[in-house]
Coordinates of all heavy atoms in Angstrom, one line a residue:
R979 N 82.5 19.0 61.7 CA 82.8 18.8 60.2 C 82.9 20.1 59.6 O 82.0 21.0 59.8 CB 81.7 17.9 59.6 CG 81.6 16.5 60.1 CD 80.5 15.7 59.4 NE 81.0 15.4 58.0 CZ 80.3 14.7 57.1 NH1 79.1 14.3 57.4 NH2 80.8 14.5 55.9
F980 N 83.9 20.4 58.8 CA 84.0 21.6 58.1 C 85.0 21.4 56.9 O 85.6 20.3 56.8 CB 84.6 22.7 59.0 CG 85.9 22.5 59.6 CD1 87.1 23.0 58.9 CD2 86.1 21.8 60.7 CE1 88.3 22.7 59.5 CE2 87.3 21.5 61.3 CZ 88.5 22.0 60.7
A981 N 85.1 22.4 56.0 CA 85.9 22.2 54.8 C 86.6 23.5 54.5 O 86.1 24.6 54.9 CB 85.1 21.8 53.6
I982 N 87.8 23.4 53.9 CA 88.5 24.6 53.4 C 88.5 24.5 51.9 O 88.9 23.5 51.3 CB 89.9 24.6 54.0 CG1 89.9 24.8 55.5 CG2 90.7 25.7 53.3 CD1 91.2 24.8 56.2
V983 N 88.1 25.6 51.3 CA 88.2 25.8 49.8 C 89.3 26.8 49.6 O 89.1 28.0 50.0 CB 86.8 26.3 49.2 CG1 87.0 26.6 47.8 CG2 85.8 25.2 49.4
R984 N 90.3 26.4 49.0 CA 91.5 27.2 48.7 C 91.7 27.5 47.3 O 91.7 26.5 46.5 CB 92.7 26.5 49.3 CG 94.1 26.9 48.9 CD 95.1 25.9 49.4 NE 96.4 26.0 48.8 CZ 97.4 25.1 48.9 NH1 97.2 24.0 49.6 NH2 98.6 25.4 48.3
E985 N 91.9 28.7 46.9 CA 92.3 29.1 45.5 C 93.7 28.4 45.3 O 94.6 28.6 46.1 CB 92.3 30.6 45.3 CG 92.2 31.0 43.9 CD 93.4 30.6 43.1 OE1 94.6 30.8 43.5 OE2 93.3 30.1 41.9
N986 N 93.8 27.7 44.2 CA 94.9 26.8 44.0 C 95.9 27.1 42.9 O 96.9 26.4 42.7 CB 94.4 25.4 43.8 CG 95.2 24.3 44.3 OD1 95.9 24.4 45.3 ND2 95.2 23.1 43.6
T987 N 95.7 28.2 42.2 CA 96.6 28.5 41.1 C 97.1 29.9 41.0 O 97.9 30.3 40.1 CB 95.9 28.2 39.7 OG1 94.7 29.1 39.6 CG2 95.5 26.8 39.6
E988 N 96.8 30.7 42.0 CA 97.2 32.1 42.1 C 98.0 32.4 43.4 O 98.7 31.6 43.9 CB 96.0 33.1 41.9 CG 95.3 32.9 40.5 CD 94.3 33.9 40.2 OE1 93.8 34.6 41.2 OE2 93.8 34.0 39.1
G989 N 97.8 33.6 43.9 CA 98.5 34.0 45.1 C 100.0 34.1 44.9 O 100.5 34.2 43.8
P990 N 100.8 33.9 46.0 CA 102.2 34.0 46.0 C 102.8 32.8 45.2 O 104.0 32.9 44.7 CB 102.7 33.9 47.4 CG 101.5 34.3 48.2 CD 100.3 33.9 47.4
Y991 N 102.0 31.7 45.0 CA 102.6 30.5 44.4 C 102.6 30.7 42.8 O 103.1 29.8 42.2 CB 101.7 29.3 44.7 CG 101.8 28.9 46.2 CD1 102.5 29.7 47.1 CD2 101.2 27.8 46.7 CE1 102.6 29.4 48.5 CE2 101.2 27.5 48.0 CZ 101.9 28.3 48.9 OH 102.0 27.9 50.3
A992 N 102.0 31.7 42.3 CA 102.0 31.9 40.9 C 103.4 32.2 40.3 O 103.7 32.1 39.1 CB 101.1 33.1 40.5
G993 N 104.3 32.6 41.2 CA 105.7 32.8 40.8 C 106.1 34.2 40.4 O 107.2 34.4 39.9
E994 N 105.3 35.2 40.7 CA 105.6 36.6 40.4 C 106.6 37.1 41.4 O 106.4 37.0 42.6 CB 104.3 37.4 40.4 CG 104.5 38.8 39.8 CD 105.1 39.8 40.8 OE1 104.9 39.7 42.0 OE2 105.7 40.8 40.4
G995 N 107.7 37.7 40.9 CA 108.7 38.2 41.8 C 110.1 37.9 41.3 O 110.3 37.5 40.1
G996 N 111.1 38.2 42.1 CA 112.5 38.0 41.6 C 113.5 38.5 42.6 O 113.1 39.0 43.7
T997 N 114.7 38.5 42.3 CA 115.8 39.0 43.1 C 116.7 40.0 42.3 O 116.9 39.9 41.1 CB 116.7 37.9 43.7 OG1 117.3 37.1 42.6 CG2 115.9 36.9 44.5
L998 N 117.3 40.9 43.1 CA 118.2 41.8 42.6 C 119.5 41.8 43.5 O 119.4 41.6 44.7 CB 117.7 43.3 42.5 CG 116.5 43.6 41.6 CD1 116.0 45.0 41.8 CD2 117.0 43.4 40.1
R999 N 120.6 41.9 42.9 CA 121.9 41.9 43.6 C 122.1 40.7 44.5 O 122.5 40.8 45.6 CB 122.0 43.2 44.5 CG 121.8 44.5 43.7 CD 122.0 45.7 44.5 NE 121.6 46.9 43.8 CZ 120.5 47.6 44.0 NH1 119.6 47.1 44.9 NH2 120.2 48.6 43.3
R1000 N 121.7 39.6 43.9 CA 121.7 38.3 44.7 C 123.1 38.0 45.2 O 124.1 38.2 44.5 CB 121.3 37.2 43.8 CG 121.2 35.8 44.4 CD 120.7 34.7 43.5 NE 120.7 33.4 44.1 CZ 119.7 32.9 44.8 NH1 118.6 33.7 45.0 NH2 119.8 31.7 45.4
G1001 N 123.2 37.6 46.4 CA 124.5 37.2 47.0 C 125.3 38.4 47.6 O 126.3 38.1 48.2
T1002 N 124.7 39.6 47.5 CA 125.4 40.7 48.1 C 124.7 41.2 49.3 O 123.5 40.8 49.6 CB 125.4 41.9 47.1 OG1 124.1 42.5 47.0 CG2 125.9 41.4 45.7
S1003 N 125.3 42.1 50.0 CA 124.6 42.7 51.2 C 123.5 43.6 50.9 O 122.7 44.0 51.8 CB 125.7 43.4 52.1 OG 126.2 44.5 51.3
H1004 N 123.3 43.9 49.6 CA 122.2 44.7 49.2 C 121.1 43.9 48.4 O 120.4 44.5 47.6 CB 122.7 45.9 48.3 CG 123.7 46.8 49.0 ND1 123.3 47.6 50.0 CD2 125.0 46.9 48.9 CE1 124.4 48.3 50.5 NE2 125.5 47.8 49.8
E1005 N 121.1 42.6 48.6 CA 120.2 41.8 47.9 C 118.7 42.2 48.2 O 118.3 42.5 49.3 CB 120.4 40.3 48.3 CG 119.4 39.4 47.5 CD 119.8 37.9 47.7 OE1 120.9 37.6 48.2 OE2 119.0 37.1 47.3
I1006 N 117.9 42.2 47.2 CA 116.5 42.5 47.3 C 115.7 41.3 46.7 O 116.0 40.8 45.6 CB 116.1 43.7 46.5 CG1 116.9 44.9 47.0 CG2 114.6 44.0 46.5 CD1 116.7 46.1 46.0
A1007 N 114.7 40.8 47.5 CA 113.9 39.7 47.0 C 112.4 40.1 47.1 O 112.0 40.7 48.2 CB 114.1 38.4 47.9
T1008 N 111.7 40.0 46.0 CA 110.2 40.3 46.1 C 109.4 39.1 45.7 O 109.9 38.3 44.9 CB 109.9 41.4 45.1 OG1 110.2 41.0 43.7 CG2 110.7 42.7 45.4
Q1009 N 108.3 38.9 46.3 CA 107.4 37.8 46.0 C 106.0 38.3 45.9 O 105.4 38.7 47.0 CB 107.5 36.7 47.0 CG 106.9 35.4 46.6 CD 107.7 34.6 45.7 OE1 108.9 34.3 46.0 NE2 107.2 34.2 44.5
G1010 N 105.4 38.5 44.8 CA 104.1 39.1 44.6 C 103.0 38.1 44.8 O 103.2 36.9 44.6
S1011 N 101.8 38.6 45.2 CA 100.6 37.7 45.3 C 99.7 38.1 44.1 O 99.2 39.2 44.1 CB 99.9 37.9 46.6 OG 98.8 37.1 46.7
V1012 N 99.5 37.1 43.2 CA 98.6 37.4 42.1 C 97.2 37.0 42.4 O 96.9 35.9 42.8 CB 99.1 36.6 40.9 CG1 98.2 36.7 39.7 CG2 100.6 36.9 40.5
N1013 N 96.3 38.0 42.3 CA 94.9 37.7 42.5 C 94.1 38.3 41.4 O 94.0 39.6 41.2 CB 94.4 38.4 43.8 CG 95.2 37.8 45.0 OD1 94.7 37.0 45.7 ND2 96.3 38.4 45.3
T1014 N 93.5 37.5 40.5 CA 92.7 38.0 39.4 C 91.2 37.9 39.8 O 90.8 37.0 40.6 CB 92.9 37.2 38.2 OG1 92.4 35.9 38.3 CG2 94.4 37.1 37.8
R1015 N 90.4 38.8 39.2 CA 89.0 38.7 39.5 C 88.4 37.4 39.0 O 87.6 36.8 39.7 CB 88.3 39.9 38.7 CG 86.8 39.8 38.6 CD 86.1 40.0 40.0 NE 84.7 39.7 40.0 CZ 83.8 40.5 40.5 NH1 84.1 41.6 41.0 NH2 82.5 40.1 40.4
F1016 N 88.9 36.9 37.9 CA 88.4 35.6 37.3 C 88.7 34.5 38.3 O 87.9 33.7 38.6 CB 89.1 35.4 36.0 CG 88.8 34.0 35.4 CD1 87.6 33.7 34.8 CD2 89.8 33.1 35.4 CE1 87.4 32.5 34.3 CE2 89.6 31.8 34.9 CZ 88.4 31.5 34.3
G1017 N 90.0 34.4 38.8 CA 90.4 33.4 39.7 C 89.7 33.4 41.0 O 89.3 32.4 41.5
V1018 N 89.6 34.6 41.6 CA 88.9 34.7 42.9 C 87.4 34.4 42.8 O 86.9 33.6 43.6 CB 89.1 36.2 43.4 CG1 88.2 36.4 44.7 CG2 90.5 36.5 43.7
E1019 N 86.8 34.8 41.7 CA 85.3 34.6 41.6 C 85.0 33.1 41.5 O 84.1 32.6 42.1 CB 84.7 35.4 40.5 CG 83.2 35.2 40.4 CD 82.6 36.2 39.4 OE1 83.2 37.2 39.0 OE2 81.4 35.9 39.1
R1020 N 85.8 32.4 40.6 CA 85.4 31.0 40.4 C 85.7 30.2 41.7 O 85.0 29.2 42.0 CB 86.1 30.4 39.2 CG 87.7 30.3 39.3 CD 88.2 29.8 38.0 NE 89.7 29.7 38.1 CZ 90.4 29.1 37.1 NH1 89.8 28.7 36.0 NH2 91.7 29.0 37.3
C1021 N 86.7 30.6 42.5 CA 86.9 30.0 43.8 C 85.8 30.2 44.8 O 85.3 29.4 45.4 CB 88.2 30.4 44.4 SG 88.6 29.7 46.0
V1022 N 85.4 31.5 44.9 CA 84.3 31.9 45.8 C 83.0 31.2 45.4 O 82.2 30.7 46.3 CB 84.2 33.4 45.8 CG1 82.9 33.9 46.5 CG2 85.4 34.1 46.5
R1023 N 82.7 31.1 44.1 CA 81.5 30.5 43.7 C 81.5 29.0 44.1 O 80.4 28.5 44.5 CB 81.3 30.6 42.2 CG 80.9 32.0 41.8 CD 80.4 32.1 40.3 NE 80.0 33.4 40.0 CZ 78.8 33.9 40.2 NH1 77.9 33.2 40.9 NH2 78.5 35.2 39.9
Y1024 N 82.6 28.4 43.9 CA 82.7 27.0 44.3 C 82.4 26.8 45.8 O 81.7 25.9 46.2 CB 84.0 26.4 44.0 CG 84.1 24.9 44.3 CD1 83.7 24.0 43.4 CD2 84.6 24.4 45.5 CE1 83.8 22.6 43.6 CE2 84.7 23.1 45.8 CZ 84.3 22.2 44.9 OH 84.3 20.8 45.2
A1025 N 83.0 27.7 46.6 CA 82.7 27.6 48.1 C 81.3 27.8 48.4 O 80.7 27.1 49.3 CB 83.6 28.7 48.8
F1026 N 80.6 28.8 47.8 CA 79.2 29.0 48.0 C 78.3 27.8 47.6 O 77.4 27.4 48.3 CB 78.7 30.3 47.3 CG 78.8 31.5 48.2 CD1 80.0 32.2 48.1 CD2 77.8 31.9 49.0 CE1 80.2 33.4 48.9 CE2 78.0 33.1 49.8 CZ 79.1 33.8 49.7
E1027 N 78.7 27.2 46.5 CA 78.0 26.0 46.0 C 78.1 24.8 47.0 O 77.2 24.1 47.4 CB 78.5 25.6 44.7 CG 78.1 26.5 43.6 CD 78.8 26.2 42.2 OE1 79.5 25.2 42.2 OE2 78.6 27.1 41.3
R1028 N 79.3 24.7 47.6 CA 79.6 23.6 48.6 C 78.8 23.9 49.8 O 78.2 23.0 50.4 CB 81.1 23.6 48.9 CG 81.9 22.7 48.0 CD 81.6 21.2 48.3 NE 82.5 20.4 47.4 CZ 82.4 19.1 47.5 NH1 81.6 18.4 48.3 NH2 83.2 18.3 46.7
A1029 N 78.8 25.2 50.3 CA 78.1 25.6 51.5 C 76.6 25.4 51.3 O 75.9 24.9 52.2 CB 78.4 27.0 51.9
A1030 N 76.0 25.8 50.2 CA 74.6 25.7 49.9 C 74.1 24.3 50.0 O 73.0 24.0 50.3 CB 74.3 26.3 48.6
A1031 N 75.0 23.3 49.6 CA 74.6 21.9 49.6 C 74.9 21.2 50.9 O 74.6 20.0 51.1 CB 75.4 21.2 48.5
S1032 N 75.5 21.9 51.9 CA 75.9 21.3 53.1 C 74.8 21.4 54.2 O 73.8 22.1 54.0 CB 77.1 22.0 53.7 OG 76.9 23.3 54.1
A1033 N 75.0 20.7 55.3 CA 74.0 20.8 56.4 C 74.0 22.1 57.1 O 73.0 22.5 57.7 CB 74.3 19.6 57.4
R1034 N 75.2 22.8 57.1 CA 75.3 24.1 57.7 C 75.7 25.1 56.6 O 76.9 25.3 56.3 CB 76.3 24.1 58.8 CG 75.8 23.4 60.0 CD 76.8 23.6 61.2 NE 78.1 23.2 60.9 CZ 79.2 23.9 61.2 NH1 79.1 25.0 61.9 NH2 80.4 23.5 60.9
P1035 N 74.8 25.8 55.9 CA 75.1 26.7 54.8 C 75.8 28.0 55.3 O 75.1 29.0 55.5 CB 73.8 26.9 54.1 CG 72.7 26.7 55.2 CD 73.3 25.7 56.1
K1036 N 77.1 27.9 55.4 CA 77.8 29.1 55.9 C 79.2 29.2 55.2 O 79.9 28.1 55.1 CB 78.0 29.0 57.4 CG 78.8 30.2 58.0 CD 79.0 30.0 59.5 CE 79.9 31.1 60.1 NZ 80.1 30.9 61.6
V1037 N 79.6 30.3 54.8 CA 80.9 30.6 54.2 C 81.6 31.6 55.0 O 81.0 32.7 55.3 CB 80.8 31.1 52.7 CG1 82.1 31.6 52.2 CG2 80.3 30.0 51.8
T1038 N 82.8 31.3 55.4 CA 83.7 32.2 56.1 C 84.9 32.6 55.2 O 85.7 31.7 54.9 CB 84.2 31.7 57.4 OG1 83.1 31.3 58.2 CG2 85.0 32.7 58.2
L1039 N 85.0 33.9 54.8 CA 86.1 34.3 54.1 C 87.2 34.6 55.1 O 87.0 35.2 56.1 CB 85.8 35.6 53.4 CG 87.0 36.4 52.8 CD1 87.7 35.5 51.7 CD2 86.6 37.7 52.2
V1040 N 88.4 34.0 54.8 CA 89.6 34.2 55.7 C 90.6 35.0 54.9 O 91.0 34.5 53.8 CB 90.1 32.9 56.2 CG1 91.5 33.2 57.0 CG2 89.1 32.3 57.2
H1041 N 91.1 36.1 55.4 CA 92.1 36.9 54.6 C 92.8 37.8 55.7 O 92.7 37.5 56.9 CB 91.5 37.7 53.5 CG 92.4 37.9 52.3 ND1 93.4 38.9 52.3 CD2 92.5 37.3 51.1 CE1 94.0 38.8 51.2 NE2 93.5 37.9 50.5
K1042 N 93.4 38.8 55.2 CA 94.1 39.8 56.1 C 93.8 41.2 55.5 O 94.7 41.9 55.0 CB 95.6 39.5 56.2 CG 96.3 40.3 57.3 CD 95.9 39.9 58.7 CE 96.8 40.6 59.7 NZ 96.3 40.4 61.1
T1043 N 92.6 41.5 55.4 CA 92.1 42.7 54.7 C 92.6 44.0 55.3 O 92.7 45.0 54.6 CB 90.6 42.8 54.6 OG1 90.1 42.7 55.9 CG2 90.1 41.6 53.8
N1044 N 93.0 44.0 56.6 CA 93.5 45.3 57.2 C 94.9 45.6 56.8 O 95.3 46.7 57.0 CB 93.3 45.2 58.7 CG 94.1 44.0 59.3 OD1 94.4 43.0 58.6 ND2 94.4 44.1 60.6
V1045 N 95.6 44.6 56.3 CA 97.0 44.8 55.9 C 97.2 44.6 54.4 O 97.8 45.4 53.7 CB 98.0 43.9 56.6 CG1 99.4 44.1 56.2 CG2 97.9 44.2 58.1
L1046 N 96.6 43.5 53.9 CA 96.7 43.2 52.4 C 95.5 43.8 51.8 O 94.6 43.2 51.3 CB 96.8 41.7 52.2 CG 97.9 41.0 53.0 CD1 97.8 39.5 52.7 CD2 99.3 41.5 52.5
T1047 N 95.6 45.2 51.7 CA 94.4 45.9 51.3 C 93.9 45.8 49.9 O 92.7 45.8 49.6 CB 94.6 47.4 51.6 OG1 95.8 47.9 50.9 CG2 94.7 47.7 53.1
F1048 N 94.8 45.6 49.0 CA 94.4 45.4 47.6 C 93.8 44.0 47.3 O 92.7 43.9 46.8 CB 95.6 45.7 46.6 CG 96.2 47.1 46.8 CD1 97.5 47.2 47.2 CD2 95.4 48.2 46.6 CE1 98.1 48.4 47.4 CE2 96.0 49.5 46.8 CZ 97.3 49.6 47.2
A1049 N 94.6 43.0 47.6 CA 94.1 41.6 47.4 C 92.8 41.4 48.3 O 91.8 40.8 47.9 CB 95.1 40.6 47.7
G1050 N 92.9 41.8 49.6 CA 91.8 41.6 50.5 C 90.5 42.3 50.0 O 89.4 41.8 50.2
D1051 N 90.7 43.5 49.4 CA 89.5 44.2 48.9 C 88.9 43.5 47.8 O 87.6 43.4 47.7 CB 89.9 45.6 48.5 CG 88.8 46.4 47.9 OD1 87.8 46.7 48.6 OD2 88.9 46.7 46.7
L1052 N 89.7 42.9 46.9 CA 89.1 42.1 45.8 C 88.4 40.9 46.3 O 87.2 40.7 45.9 CB 90.3 41.7 44.9 CG 89.9 40.7 43.7 CD1 88.8 41.4 42.8 CD2 91.1 40.4 42.9
W1053 N 88.9 40.2 47.2 CA 88.3 39.0 47.8 C 87.0 39.4 48.5 O 85.9 38.8 48.3 CB 89.2 38.3 48.7 CG 90.1 37.4 48.1 CD1 91.4 37.7 47.6 CD2 90.0 36.0 47.8 NE1 92.0 36.5 47.0 CE2 91.1 35.5 47.2 CE3 88.9 35.1 48.1 CZ2 91.3 34.1 46.8 CZ3 89.1 33.7 47.8 CH2 90.3 33.3 47.1
S1054 N 87.0 40.5 49.2 CA 85.8 40.9 50.0 C 84.7 41.4 49.1 O 83.5 41.0 49.3 CB 86.2 42.1 50.9 OG 87.1 41.7 51.9
R1055 N 85.1 42.1 48.0 CA 84.0 42.6 47.1 C 83.4 41.4 46.3 O 82.2 41.4 46.1 CB 84.6 43.6 46.1 CG 84.8 45.0 46.7 CD 85.3 46.0 45.7 NE 86.6 45.8 45.2 CZ 87.0 45.4 44.0 NH1 86.1 45.1 43.1 NH2 88.3 45.3 43.7
V1056 N 84.2 40.4 45.9 CA 83.7 39.3 45.2 C 82.7 38.5 46.1 O 81.6 38.1 45.7 CB 84.8 38.4 44.7 CG1 84.3 37.1 44.1 CG2 85.6 39.1 43.6
V1057 N 83.1 38.3 47.3 CA 82.2 37.5 48.3 C 80.9 38.3 48.5 O 79.8 37.7 48.4 CB 82.9 37.3 49.6 CG1 81.9 36.9 50.7 CG2 84.0 36.3 49.5
A1058 N 81.0 39.6 48.6 CA 79.8 40.5 48.8 C 78.9 40.4 47.6 O 77.6 40.4 47.7 CB 80.2 41.9 49.0
E1059 N 79.4 40.3 46.4 CA 78.6 40.2 45.2 C 78.0 38.8 45.0 O 76.8 38.7 44.7 CB 79.4 40.6 44.0 CG 79.8 42.1 44.0 CD 80.9 42.4 42.9 OE1 81.0 41.6 41.9 OE2 81.6 43.4 43.0
V1060 N 78.8 37.8 45.2 CA 78.3 36.4 45.0 C 77.3 36.0 46.0 O 76.3 35.3 45.7 CB 79.5 35.4 45.0 CG1 79.0 34.0 45.0 CG2 80.4 35.7 43.8
R1061 N 77.4 36.5 47.2 CA 76.5 36.1 48.3 C 75.0 36.5 48.0 O 74.1 35.8 48.5 CB 76.9 36.8 49.6 CG 76.6 38.3 49.7 CD 77.0 38.8 51.1 NE 76.3 38.3 52.2 CZ 76.5 38.6 53.5 NH1 77.4 39.5 53.8 NH2 75.8 38.1 54.4
S1062 N 74.8 37.5 47.2 CA 73.4 37.9 46.8 C 72.7 36.8 46.0 O 71.5 36.7 46.0 CB 73.5 39.2 46.0 OG 74.1 39.0 44.7
E1063 N 73.5 35.9 45.4 CA 72.9 34.8 44.6 C 72.6 33.6 45.5 O 72.0 32.6 45.1 CB 73.9 34.4 43.5 CG 74.2 35.5 42.5 CD 75.3 35.1 41.5 OE1 75.3 33.9 41.2 OE2 76.0 36.0 41.1
Y1064 N 73.1 33.6 46.7 CA 72.9 32.5 47.7 C 72.3 33.0 49.0 O 73.0 33.0 50.0 CB 74.2 31.8 47.9 CG 74.9 31.2 46.7 CD1 75.6 31.9 45.8 CD2 74.6 29.8 46.4 CE1 76.2 31.3 44.7 CE2 75.2 29.2 45.3 CZ 76.0 30.0 44.4 OH 76.6 29.4 43.3
P1065 N 71.1 33.5 49.0 CA 70.5 34.1 50.2 C 70.4 33.1 51.4 O 70.3 33.6 52.5 CB 69.1 34.6 49.7 CG 68.8 33.7 48.5 CD 70.1 33.5 47.9
Q1066 N 70.4 31.8 51.1 CA 70.3 30.9 52.2 C 71.7 30.6 52.9 O 71.7 29.9 53.9 CB 69.8 29.5 51.7 CG 70.8 28.7 50.9 CD 70.9 29.1 49.4 OE1 70.8 30.3 49.0 NE2 71.2 28.1 48.5
V1067 N 72.8 31.2 52.4 CA 74.1 31.0 52.9 C 74.5 32.1 53.8 O 74.5 33.3 53.4 CB 75.1 30.8 51.8 CG1 76.5 30.6 52.4 CG2 74.8 29.5 51.0
E1068 N 74.8 31.8 55.1 CA 75.4 32.8 56.0 C 76.8 33.1 55.6 O 77.5 32.2 55.2 CB 75.3 32.2 57.4 CG 75.8 33.2 58.5 CD 75.9 32.5 59.9 OE1 75.4 31.4 60.0 OE2 76.5 33.2 60.8

Side-chain angles (χ1 to χ4, degrees):
R979 300 183 68 180
F980 61 94
I982 295 178
V983 173
R984 161 189 169 194
E985 200 293 315
N986 211 31
T987 60
E988 297 187 346
Y991 296 2
E994 192 276 332
T997 59
L998 294 171
R999 307 186 188 99
R1000 182 178 177 85
T1002 75
S1003 60
H1004 300 287
E1005 182 170 349
I1006 300 170
T1008 64
Q1009 194 80 55
S1011 179
V1012 176
N1013 298 265
T1014 68
R1015 169 68 191 228
F1016 174 75
V1018 172
E1019 183 172 345
R1020 65 183 182 174
C1021 177
V1022 168
R1023 286 190 178 280
Y1024 184 85
F1026 271 88
E1027 289 169 9
R1028 276 285 182 180
S1032 72
R1034 290 189 302 141
K1036 177 182 178 181
V1037 168
T1038 302
L1039 170 63
V1040 173
H1041 210 281
K1042 191 69 175 172
T1043 56
N1044 58 338
V1045 177
L1046 304 177
T1047 53
F1048 302 118
D1051 177 62
L1052 174 58
W1053 278 86
S1054 296
R1055 283 187 288 111
V1056 170
V1057 168
E1059 292 170 21
V1060 172
R1061 72 180 297 180
S1062 65
E1063 302 173 30
Y1064 298 85
Q1066 75 276 34
V1067 177
E1068 179 186 352

